[in-house]
Amino acid sequence: MTTISVPVGGVRKKSLLWDYLTTVDHKKIAHLYFWTGLVYFLIGGLEALLIRTQLAVPLNHVLDGKAYNEVLAMHGTTMIFFVAMPLLFALMNAVVPLQIGARDLAFPFVNALSYWLYFFGALLTHVSFLTGDVPQGGWTGYFPLAHPDYTGYGMSYYAMGLQLSGLGTLLTGINFVATIVNHRAPGMTYMRMPLFTWTTLIASILTMFAFPPLTAGLFLMIYDQLFGGAAFDPAKGGNPIIWQHLFWIFGHPEVYIVALPAFGIFSEVIPVFSRKRLFGYPAMVVATALIAFFGFMVWVHHMFTVGLGPLANGVFGVATTIIAVPTGIKIFNWIFTMWGGKVRMTSAMLWSVGFIITFVMGGVTGVMMALPPADYQYHDTYFIVAHFHYVLIGGTVFSVFAGAYYWWPKMFGKLLNETLGKIHFWLFFIGFHLTFFIQHFLGLWGMQRRIFTYLPGQGFELPNLVSTIGAYTMALGVIVFAINIVYTFVKGKPAPADPWDGRTLEWATPTPVPEYNFARLPLIRGLDPFWLEKQAGNKTVPPAEPYADIHMPNPSILPFMMSLSLFIAGLGFIFKDQYHPSFLYLALFGVAATLLVMFLRSVIDDEGRHVPRELVEQEDAKGVSA
Amino acid sequence: MSLTAEPGRLGAAAPAARAGAVEKTEAPPIELATQEGRNKLIGMWLFIAAESVLFASFFAVYLALRHSTMGGPTGKELFDLKLVFLATALLLSSSFTSVMAVLNMRRLQAGAMKAWLLATWLLGASFLALEAYEFNHYVHMGHTFTSSAFGTAFYSLVGFHGAHVTFGLLWLFALLVRNLRREVTPYIAPKVYAFSLYWHFVDLVWVFIFSVVYLMGKVA
Amino acid sequence: MAAEPMFSPSGERETKKERSLHTVAFLASIVLTILAFGAVVYAIEGGASAGFVVAFLVGLAVVQAAFQAYIWMHLKDEGHAVPQLFFYVGVYVTVVIVIGILLMSWWTVA
């Protein structure tokens, strides 16, 4: 096997841009996911503010009906696909390999490909703003609304964009499962894995099995929109209910894909800041697996009012309520972890405690809606809107903030400012409850969701105004977070390797983490390995191997090129109907370019490179941790 | 699932056997010699598991829409059993030749491996040609992608399988080009093995397509 | 490089055993395929009820798929615990999706 040695003293200096375009390092890909996700978070948040501004007073005209539908559809799509998942992938990429003692993911090249597919998928969806045909069919893309006859080609951008980023997500899921199965350090058994790794594993399994139905549905959607297909067209014998099934067979597990890693983050933060091991670790693992298992048999609860019949509704109603049991187990375990612990109310911990309160409320309304007769009352009202914002913001967004404050020092080498962090939390937390608590009642009072305005004199005025004020308060919180980030990068001091007195393996690595993560792979001797070693009087986790050359993957521009080619193909397919049939050639060019890049990847050998032992030893001596 | 803290109960390999920490007692077959090879085995299986759900979705859509012919020809009128049997025999044989290729790869017989792979390619290409002929025939009978929901669902499912065959042929072509003059090494073995897994999976899906689409279409 | 990758090429006996196993699987698949086509021809000529033939076909397809997966794709081999697990989860999700969509697209359930 050929060995390309890197000379001692480092590689040829590359520009930062080229470095990030070609990187296959999970830590840098984590940065890419994080910043891209944050940008889309701001865009999605801006859309939310537009929605709330429009609804602040009755008969408002900030947005007309069409613009409102566009902003609403893009808000939902962006927040789920281009914010929640990428931000969680950012944390997974940054942390999971470190937590299990791996040098990178199982497929670093594919990891880069996943990111660029997400990047170009999100970009493709947002190109719609330039062409004027913006998605208007909601993030659920129901037919016939998703057909060009009704909403133009906007939903084609949605379908193509999601197809691209969905492919990336699927590959990420496969990648993390393979990594966690194959790349655990010696002694890191399944039942010694930190909960964040566990939830990443199970969420990745869900991704693997939930995204294909969406892929199939999106293919059929694209066929119907751009190629004269008829799967969802009743005039040709099609059936729009099938789209609803495919979407929700994906859509419900998707909720757990973004919720389970969030649970994992809180399960890391709460023990550290309570100075106690996680209460009921095996129960937490089993509960996570159970949620995932039942998650595939509950999708019809999104379709109770379709009229699938009492038996279908009954079975899926019961299955849905069952999910409350493992979730309840988790809530109690977090509370018992804090019980009797030395609780430190850091920013990360504030988000965690705020999560428990908020998520319980969202969970309770979830059980209410799981009962089909009751759901007929709530369906398509603001009650639903309140519910899913309680679980998605209270769960996922809070977890991303908690994770950001907790892992920032490991990801970026600096500690975020705690005072600003607390201001951020309180503004966002109060603003959140102000916005969404009242929406439960708005729903019960009869306000429908997805309608761009309402009439005066129905008792909707004051609650809507309160909700809008809350939304702006949340926005203030996000601004404080942005200030905090800038402040930290400019003024922040370098963080120590283990700033929180951590328990898990990632805190045993030096900061900044070397490219190969571990100079020698660690030997894991129990759950919370770093904590165990510190308790035993050791400075760090013992190595499991002698120093040796470390095999690392080569950077590559091909993931970027492949995603770009698919992006061009996607645009071509839409433009051929939206503008001119000859854009078909552009699409075919994109497909051909994709295949060419794949061919290049196949025939050009890439055996990676080796970091020589001397360099590893030298660097290890410099950056001793703890 | 075991809840005890024992290593590797669920996994393919015990964690201790990695990174040269502990030497395994018996050496594995060549495709599993490297960490990349072991990753590829797991990764390919995960991909296949995900793909099976993708095909399941298309099967479900086809089954739900199979009667929506809108006055066009039905499956019963369209499908020609002789043609389908021939196609099945071709794909089944190509699956067999690819497993023979792996057998020879494990013996490090590069020449025999490439010969079997070439046979696989030719059989797969014949299958594809037959499918192209078949689709063309259907279009002339008025059964098109746009004619009815049945048409869309049929071509989505069977065409998606055909696209998989096409992609597999391109993949195999790249493999053969890359290895035209080379021996079997631990670098290339996992790639051949991953391809053969993919190819078997494509055949496995075809088993359900000829049973559920063609044969059942003839009966029900 | 820490060490050259270790592997052992298959021996003569092992290969012979494998080869005959694969050949048997191939022949069995052909027999199953002929049975399936034969059943349909038989049914078209009025020899068997459609419902029975459909059940028969699904049964044959499952058996043949199992041949493919366990023998040709080496799912039966040692060290395939994780692939087996995911294969079964895939089957579970597949069954849920096909039955779910089939039952709940055109008719109401009960």
Side-chain angles (χ1 to χ4, degrees):
Chain A
M1 204 185 270
T2 49
T3 311
I4 306 151
S5 310
V6 181
V8 180
V11 287
R12 189 165 52 87
K13 190 82 183 145
K14 289 176 290 191
S15 79
L16 189 69
L17 180 67
W18 183 252
D19 187 19
Y20 273 90
L21 283 177
T22 60
T23 187
V24 294
D25 181 348
H26 69 96
K27 297 177 286 295
K28 287 180 182 165
I29 290 173
H31 292 173
L32 290 171
Y33 270 120
F34 190 80
W35 296 121
T36 320
L38 217 56
V39 167
Y40 282 109
F41 180 64
L42 295 181
I43 294 174
L46 214 60
E47 285 156 356
L49 285 182
L50 279 171
I51 292 171
R52 281 318 319 168
T53 310
Q54 162 66 18
L55 292 176
V57 290
L59 294 175
N60 201 358
H61 286 291
V62 175
L63 303 171
D64 59 13
K66 179 168 179 284
Y68 182 87
N69 289 346
E70 293 171 355
V71 167
L72 186 84
M74 286 303 282
H75 168 72
T77 310
T78 304
M79 284 301 194
I80 292 284
F81 292 101
F82 307 144
V83 175
M85 303 191 61
L87 285 177
L88 289 172
F89 287 160
L91 295 175
M92 288 178 189
N93 263 297
V95 175
V96 167
L98 299 179
Q99 279 194 334
I100 60 173
R103 293 210 161 105
D104 207 322
L105 291 186
F107 307 109
F109 180 90
V110 175
N111 194 24
L113 179 62
S114 295
Y115 168 76
W116 289 111
L117 283 171
Y118 151 62
F119 177 86
F120 281 110
L123 194 66
L124 202 154
T125 309
H126 282 79
V127 166
S128 63
F129 280 113
L130 302 178
T131 66
D133 268 11
V134 186
Q136 298 171 53
W139 85 283
T140 54
Y142 273 22
F143 274 81
L145 262 183
H147 198 273
D149 289 353
Y150 296 87
T151 53
Y153 290 99
M155 291 310 279
S156 301
Y157 288 95
Y158 159 97
M160 280 293 181
L162 290 195
Q163 197 69 298
L164 239 65
S165 70
L167 178 60
T169 308
L170 175 70
L171 293 174
T172 304
I174 291 175
N175 213 340
F176 273 103
V177 177
T179 306
I180 294 171
V181 169
N182 262 5
H183 278 259
R184 282 166 292 122
M188 176 59 83
T189 60
Y190 283 104
M191 290 312 282
R192 288 175 182 174
M193 293 193 317
L195 240 269
F196 183 56
T197 302
W198 257 114
T199 51
T200 299
L201 174 63
I202 294 191
S204 302
I205 296 172
L206 279 177
T207 306
M208 276 173 47
F209 292 108
F211 267 76
L214 178 73
T215 307
L218 288 173
F219 267 124
L220 293 169
M221 178 187 257
I222 291 167
Y223 295 161
D224 273 23
Q225 289 168 340
L226 303 174
F227 297 95
F232 308 131
D233 178 6
K236 285 185 177 174
N239 186 338
I241 303 291
I242 294 175
W243 163 260
Q244 296 189 19
H245 278 303
L246 288 173
F247 185 82
W248 288 117
I249 289 172
F250 146 78
H252 201 79
E254 164 71 13
V255 175
Y256 298 122
I257 293 170
V258 293
L260 291 179
F263 295 166
I265 293 169
F266 296 123
S267 304
E268 299 294 313
V269 170
I270 291 175
V272 165
F273 294 109
S274 306
R275 275 180 83 86
K276 263 178 78 187
R277 63 175 282 184
L278 185 68
F279 187 92
Y281 171 86
M284 286 297 236
V285 173
V286 172
T288 310
L290 277 180
I291 292 175
F293 179 76
F294 286 120
F296 268 105
M297 296 189 292
V298 298
W299 80 86
V300 168
H301 69 216
H302 296 271
M303 301 163 64
F304 279 157
T305 58
V306 168
L308 300 175
L311 183 63
N313 283 3
V315 167
F316 281 88
V318 170
T320 307
T321 48
I322 288 175
I323 292 196
V325 177
T327 317
I329 291 174
K330 282 172 169 276
I331 299 280
F332 281 113
N333 281 341
W334 288 315
I335 294 173
F336 289 145
T337 306
M338 288 189 279
W339 191 279
K342 273 193 194 156
V343 177
R344 280 181 288 164
M345 274 297 169
T346 57
S347 305
M349 191 62 177
L350 275 177
W351 288 110
S352 308
V353 176
F355 150 77
I356 293 178
I357 298 162
T358 313
F359 198 83
V360 166
M361 293 168 76
V364 168
T365 51
V367 177
M368 291 167 74
M369 298 176 329
L371 312 171
D375 185 64
Y376 269 75
Q377 286 298 314
Y378 312 137
H379 192 82
D380 267 348
T381 70
Y382 265 80
F383 191 83
I384 306 289
V385 178
H387 160 76
F388 68 68
H389 281 96
Y390 261 79
V391 286
L392 283 172
I393 296 184
T396 309
V397 176
F398 280 23
S399 84
V400 168
F401 284 139
Y405 282 98
Y406 180 59
W407 280 309
W408 200 275
K410 204 41 87 183
M411 284 175 79
F412 299 106
K414 289 181 175 179
L415 278 164
L416 283 172
N417 184 294
E418 279 292 307
T419 314
L420 285 172
K422 281 170 191 162
I423 298 172
H424 170 204
F425 169 76
W426 284 112
L427 280 174
F428 197 87
F429 184 76
I430 293 169
F432 167 77
H433 283 277
L434 212 54
T435 313
F436 292 106
F437 188 72
I438 195 72
Q439 290 188 1
H440 291 112
F441 297 95
L442 268 175
L444 295 178
W445 293 331
M447 182 158 164
Q448 294 159 305
R449 60 190 285 211
R450 293 188 171 129
I451 307 285
F452 84 106
T453 191
Y454 52 92
L455 292 171
Q458 301 183 93
F460 296 160
E461 291 96 331
L462 184 65
N464 268 303
L465 189 64
V466 168
S467 188
T468 303
I469 292 169
Y472 277 93
T473 317
M474 283 167 88
L476 279 182
V478 176
I479 290 171
V480 173
F481 183 51
I483 293 171
N484 198 350
I485 291 175
V486 175
Y487 176 84
T488 303
F489 273 109
V490 177
K491 292 255 174 155
K493 292 191 177 59
D498 178 24
W500 312 115
D501 200 5
R503 312 175 70 87
T504 40
L505 196 55
E506 74 268 29
W507 302 111
T509 58
T511 301
V513 185
E515 185 196 5
Y516 40 78
N517 296 353
F518 298 91
R520 290 173 291 177
L521 288 184
L523 181 68
I524 309 303
R525 302 202 279 189
L527 184 63
D528 290 347
F530 191 34
W531 182 258
L532 289 181
E533 300 295 345
K534 284 193 283 191
Q535 291 302 96
N538 300 327
K539 274 200 161 144
T540 189
V541 182
E545 56 176 7
Y547 286 111
D549 293 352
I550 295 175
H551 184 221
M552 294 301 290
N554 284 327
S556 173
I557 192 67
L558 295 183
F560 177 84
M561 298 304 290
M562 202 189 292
S563 311
L564 177 66
S565 312
L566 281 171
F567 172 77
I568 292 171
L571 278 185
F573 281 126
I574 300 173
F575 287 174
K576 91 174 164 59
D577 276 25
Q578 195 182 355
Y579 294 116
H580 194 273
S582 57
F583 273 110
L584 185 62
Y585 295 109
L586 183 72
L588 295 179
F589 166 77
V591 172
T594 310
L595 291 173
L596 177 71
V597 174
M598 289 171 119
F599 181 76
L600 290 178
R601 175 68 184 163
S602 282
V603 295
I604 301 173
D605 283 12
D606 180 8
E607 304 206 32
R609 65 207 158 81
H610 287 88
V611 183
R613 204 188 76 189
E614 298 75 31
L615 183 66
V616 175
E617 279 187 60
Q618 203 181 321
E619 290 188 348
D620 198 32
K622 264 188 291 178
V624 183
S625 56
Chain B
M1 192 191 337
S2 158
L3 290 183
T4 52
E6 289 300 312
R9 274 285 174 82
L10 212 60
R18 222 159 285 126
V22 177
E23 209 59 58
K24 268 194 166 180
T25 46
E26 202 185 319
I30 186 165
E31 76 269 13
L32 299 179
T34 59
Q35 180 70 60
E36 285 76 15
R38 292 189 286 276
N39 288 347
K40 274 212 171 67
L41 174 81
I42 298 280
M44 203 60 215
W45 269 105
L46 297 177
F47 178 71
I48 284 171
E51 283 257 292
S52 63
V53 176
L54 186 53
F55 275 105
S57 308
F58 280 117
F59 269 107
V61 172
Y62 173 78
L63 286 173
L65 297 177
R66 69 190 188 280
H67 297 304
S68 299
T69 53
M70 303 312 280
T74 62
K76 209 170 198 162
E77 295 155 13
L78 286 165
F79 302 147
D80 177 2
L81 284 189
K82 284 190 207 102
L83 201 74
V84 178
F85 187 80
L86 185 58
T88 307
L90 284 172
L91 205 59
L92 195 62
S93 307
S94 81
S95 203
F96 178 66
T97 51
S98 80
V99 81
M100 294 313 276
V102 167
L103 207 64
N104 282 291
M105 176 193 83
R106 283 180 170 176
R107 304 200 67 196
L108 308 186
Q109 292 167 337
M113 178 188 85
K114 282 176 239 174
W116 283 113
L117 286 179
L118 189 66
T120 306
W121 199 91
L122 292 173
L123 287 165
S126 328
F127 171 87
L128 207 59
L130 209 58
E131 188 157 78
Y133 166 79
E134 180 201 345
F135 282 4
N136 186 40
H137 181 62
Y138 292 158
V139 169
H140 283 293
M141 286 175 79
H143 171 56
T144 69
F145 185 75
T146 55
S147 60
S148 64
F150 167 62
T152 306
F154 173 84
Y155 287 108
S156 296
L157 171 60
V158 184
F160 200 62
H161 176 267
H164 274 71
V165 174
T166 313
F167 184 80
L169 291 178
L170 292 173
W171 181 1
L172 184 53
F173 175 73
L175 264 180
L176 284 170
V177 166
R178 189 294 179 176
N179 293 302
L180 208 53
R181 291 157 197 283
R182 294 191 221 208
E183 293 304 308
V184 180
T185 62
Y187 175 77
I188 194 63
K191 293 176 185 264
V192 175
Y193 191 79
F195 167 77
S196 94
L197 276 184
Y198 173 87
W199 196 252
H200 292 312
F201 173 70
V202 170
D203 188 29
L204 194 154
V205 172
W206 180 256
V207 170
F208 284 97
I209 290 186
F210 86 68
S211 302
V212 171
V213 176
Y214 291 103
L215 293 183
M216 282 187 198
K218 247 354 201 184
V219 178
Chain C
M1 194 64 223
E4 278 303 309
M6 299 281 293
F7 64 91
S8 54
S10 324
E12 190 65 50
R13 258 182 80 191
E14 209 183 328
T15 312
K16 233 180 183 164
K17 213 177 106 201
E18 283 269 295
R19 186 185 292 137
S20 51
L21 186 64
H22 292 321
T23 314
V24 168
F26 181 51
L27 294 175
S29 297
I30 290 185
V31 171
L32 289 171
T33 308
I34 291 174
L35 270 180
F37 278 81
V40 170
V41 172
Y42 187 56
I44 290 170
E45 288 167 4
S49 75
F52 173 75
V53 172
V54 167
F56 186 64
L57 287 175
V58 172
L60 287 181
V62 169
V63 173
Q64 195 173 339
F67 269 120
Q68 294 266 347
Y70 282 90
I71 297 176
W72 284 0
M73 294 163 89
H74 301 94
L75 198 56
K76 64 170 175 39
D77 289 10
E78 217 180 304
H80 279 63
V82 173
Q84 280 178 8
L85 177 70
F86 283 97
F87 188 71
Y88 301 144
V89 177
V91 171
Y92 155 68
V93 180
T94 297
V95 169
V96 168
I97 291 177
V98 172
I99 291 181
I101 292 186
L102 203 53
L103 286 184
M104 295 187 292
S105 290
W106 296 102
W107 310 280
T108 56
V109 182

